[in-house]
Amino acid sequence: MSTLANVLVVLLVLGLVLRRQLTAQRINEAKMYTLPAILLIVGVVQGGLIDHAHRALSVGMLAVEVVVGLLLGALRAATMRLWREPDGSLWRSGGGLTLAAWVLSIAVRLGLMGIAYALGVKTGNGNLLAFLGVSLLAQFAIIDLRSRSLPLRRAGVNVTA
């Protein structure tokens, strides 16, 4: 996939994810990890995660990107309101803090890209998708863990977590 196509796919996915995360949405717990796993797999398959001309530096940058992606995903998960409906279904809703966490995630990712560029590290198209996949996997894993202790919502009572 070309760089432009890859960026467009990331922007499209990001737009859909943002729209879903900023409104109340039922979470399909059986399929929760599907999109992040697909993004991560496609990013790895596209290749170019390592710049072979700067192997040690690019492996170091990749490690930093993975850790940062995990931390940013955890941060976004912490901003989500979770609850279970009487039927047992899991719901989530983000707000202003979730949006701020996404803006921070994007800014940090752009900063990491700038640092890599300044260091002469050239990576392929897969980095954007892989970073988004790792970040969403962390976010959904934290949401999954948080959801396990949620009580059922009773009629007329709001339960927040």
Side-chain angles (χ1 to χ4, degrees):
M1 202 180 319
S2 73
T3 301
L4 178 60
N6 206 24
V7 169
L8 290 175
V9 167
V10 167
L11 290 175
L12 176 65
V13 169
L14 190 56
L16 292 171
V17 167
L18 272 171
R19 183 183 61 81
R20 290 182 53 96
Q21 289 193 7
L22 296 175
T23 59
Q25 293 284 322
R26 181 176 187 208
I27 298 174
N28 183 338
E29 294 176 80
K31 296 181 180 181
M32 174 184 250
Y33 297 104
T34 303
L35 176 63
I38 288 170
L39 291 171
L40 181 58
I41 291 167
V42 169
V44 170
V45 168
Q46 280 188 353
L49 300 179
I50 304 295
D51 178 356
H52 296 288
H54 303 91
R55 186 178 304 267
L57 197 51
S58 67
V59 167
M61 284 298 301
L62 182 61
V64 168
E65 289 177 1
V66 168
V67 170
V68 168
L70 293 172
L71 291 172
L72 290 169
L75 174 67
R76 289 192 313 271
T79 69
M80 303 295 291
R81 183 173 156 260
L82 302 175
W83 70 93
R84 287 206 181 272
E85 289 292 331
D87 65 0
S89 62
L90 177 62
W91 285 72
R92 71 162 183 240
S93 178
L97 288 177
T98 307
L99 180 59
W102 270 107
V103 169
L104 176 65
S105 295
I106 293 165
V108 168
R109 177 62 184 138
L110 291 173
L112 289 172
M113 289 171 61
I115 290 168
Y117 180 78
L119 294 172
V121 175
K122 295 176 180 64
T123 55
N125 295 332
N127 273 21
L128 286 171
L129 290 175
F131 181 85
L132 184 56
V134 165
S135 187
L136 286 172
L137 277 172
Q139 181 179 349
F140 293 163
I142 300 288
I143 286 172
D144 191 16
L145 287 172
R146 286 179 54 208
S147 72
R148 294 174 190 213
S149 63
L150 289 176
L152 291 180
R153 189 176 194 179
R154 294 183 307 273
V157 178
N158 288 332
V159 178
T160 59

